[in-house]
Every structure is written in structure tokens, then in C-alpha cells.
Amino acid sequence: MKPVTVLIPAYNEAPRIGAVLDVVCSYPREKRIIVIDDGSVDDTYKAAQRTGVEVIRHEKNLGKGAALQTGIDYVDDSPLWLFLDADLINLKHQHMDALLLPLEENPQVGMTIGMFKSGGKKNVDLAQRYFSILNGQRGLANFFVKSLPSLSWARFGVEVFLSRLAEKNNIPVIEPALKDITHYTKEEKYGFKRGFMYRLQMYKECLYALFNWQKHVPTHDKSIKNLSKDISHYE
């Protein structure tokens, strides 16, 4: 089993991140776990530190895309990558396996996208089923991560950006089912009014990424397609 780097961006997740990190820390695989505290104003940083993982802190909130980019830049190189949200409910080792094993079984696969199923929240399951482009639980091969342009601009649109890059460059993507897992909704975390406003902001950022992602792909970058032909270089 190849080593994996787990990146967990977090913003005001102090009450929830501990349960996620307990599972990730006990995962039986060589791993490096990085929490990126994206300018939280609660005790997210301390809650993550208590588990013994590496924690990076943004002084102000820069968005999910910037948090992931900070983690990638900090680690630089890893055989496998796993992006997980900090507010997951009922995360198990088999969910992490489901995201990583397709990358090991087929070195041509560049990314996996987890699909929540039977998680106990029908609205979340439906959103995951019909809008998989937004799903945050992802496994990535190193050749794909190494080829990515900066994610720092994308905020909540980062998953849209990743999916569009894979699609444009014919990078194979697998969507494994993740059974009996879900996450807290924004309304549950922040209350209905504040949570609803956060949700609208998230949709706005996702729509911007959907229609403007190509503006953020430098024309001088070596194409992902060419990099994917030389997978062995990154294994």
C-alpha cells in the first residue's frame, strides 16, 4: 500500500474535526496528515493540534481552494493524496480505502470522487448523486496533483475546477460509493439564516468556477495530458 498525504481544510470546525481526525489518525497505512486551518475564529487550530497531526494556519480566511493549495505546496510530493472535509459524520477506514484503492489498481486513474449513499440525510445524498462535481472527498494520483495549476483562486469552486481539469484532459475519474457517511449541513452548523447565506455564497463561488475555470489555467503550463503519459515518473 502506497503512502498517502491527507489534506483536511477546515474553517470553524472545532466541534467536529476531532471525530474526523480520530478515524484518519488510526487508518492503517503510512500517511501524513495535514490540517489547514483557513482563518478560523474558533478553536479549530487547537482541536486539530491535540490529535498530534500537522497543522498549518492561515491568518485570514482565503477559501477552500487556497487551503488545499497551501497543503500541496507544504508537502510538495506524495505517492497518493486524499482530500477530506472536516465535518464528516461516520467516516470509516473503508471509505478511505474506496477513494484510494482505484488509484493503486489502475495507474491511469487520476482522481476518485466519493459519492455519499445511505448516509441518513436524503437531501445530502441527492445532492451528491446529481452534483458529483461538488463532492469534496477525493483521492488523487501524484501525477495529477503535480500537473495542477494553482487552486488558490477557487474557494468553494475548487472541486468544480478539479473535475473540469480532469475532463478537459481525458484523465480517468472513478466515483466510488461511500455508504453510511454524510456531513453536517451549513444550516446545522451555523443556524438557518447564517447557514443559508453561507450556502448561497458557496453556490456563487461554484458557479463562478464552472463558467470561468479556463481563465485560471496558464497557457504556458505543461498539459496534464502529457504528464499523465509519464505516470511512472511520479510513482
Side-chain angles (χ1 to χ4, degrees):
M1 298 172 68
K2 295 179 181 179
V4 61
T5 294
V6 185
L7 299 185
I8 304 176
Y11 176 65
N12 291 340
E13 297 289 0
R16 294 164 288 274
I17 194 170
V20 172
L21 288 174
D22 285 345
V23 176
V24 177
C25 288
S26 63
Y27 186 49
R29 180 192 286 255
E30 184 180 345
K31 58 193 176 294
R32 188 173 181 183
I33 305 165
I34 316 292
V35 171
I36 306 94
D37 177 4
D38 188 30
S40 297
V41 296
D42 68 355
D43 287 332
T44 294
Y45 183 83
K46 292 180 180 179
Q49 270 196 325
R50 282 195 290 268
T51 67
V53 304
E54 298 176 77
V55 187
I56 307 171
R57 190 174 193 176
H58 289 169
E59 290 301 318
K60 63 179 181 179
N61 179 256
L62 301 176
K64 189 175 184 179
L68 289 171
Q69 187 62 54
T70 293
I72 291 170
D73 292 342
Y74 179 72
V75 175
D76 185 53
D77 194 72
S78 176
L80 294 174
W81 299 78
L82 186 62
F83 297 171
L84 295 175
D85 290 340
D87 63 349
L88 295 172
I89 300 172
N90 204 34
L91 174 67
K92 303 293 184 186
H93 292 165
Q94 65 249 32
H95 300 132
M96 300 170 69
D97 282 340
L99 291 166
L100 293 174
L101 291 181
L103 301 171
E104 293 185 298
E105 292 169 353
N106 184 352
Q108 295 296 324
V109 174
M111 182 166 60
T112 60
I113 305 174
M115 304 287 287
F116 290 179
K117 185 177 181 181
S118 305
K121 298 182 181 182
K122 291 184 178 180
N123 58 327
V124 174
D125 288 348
L126 286 172
Q128 294 265 315
R129 179 178 178 184
Y130 292 106
F131 301 100
S132 64
I133 197 172
L134 303 180
N135 295 354
Q137 317 331 306
R138 302 194 176 212
L140 295 93
N142 199 37
F143 80 86
F144 188 34
V145 171
K146 281 291 191 179
S147 70
L148 294 173
S150 176
L151 308 177
S152 296
W153 65 274
R155 299 193 67 87
F156 273 122
V158 64
E159 284 90 11
V160 174
F161 192 38
L162 290 170
S163 291
R164 285 293 180 251
L165 287 169
E167 180 182 14
K168 175 180 173 59
N169 293 283
N170 298 314
I171 301 297
V173 174
I174 302 292
E175 296 185 350
L178 306 182
K179 295 182 179 180
D180 304 319
I181 183 175
T182 190
H183 63 73
Y184 291 93
T185 65
K186 287 178 171 46
E187 289 80 4
E188 288 174 317
K189 290 192 283 187
Y190 305 118
F192 179 79
K193 184 176 180 180
R194 187 179 174 200
F196 181 71
M197 295 305 295
Y198 271 117
R199 183 173 298 280
L200 288 180
Q201 181 64 28
M202 179 184 72
Y203 290 155
K204 180 181 177 181
E205 292 169 3
C206 290
L207 285 171
Y208 174 84
L210 183 64
F211 293 108
N212 296 278
W213 66 273
Q214 289 179 302
K215 297 178 182 178
H216 299 276
V217 181
T219 57
H220 63 272
D221 276 6
K222 188 177 182 181
S223 73
I224 295 171
K225 185 181 295 184
N226 289 337
L227 281 167
S228 69
K229 295 177 181 177
D230 191 24
I231 295 170
S232 61
H233 179 69
Y234 298 111
E235 291 186 326

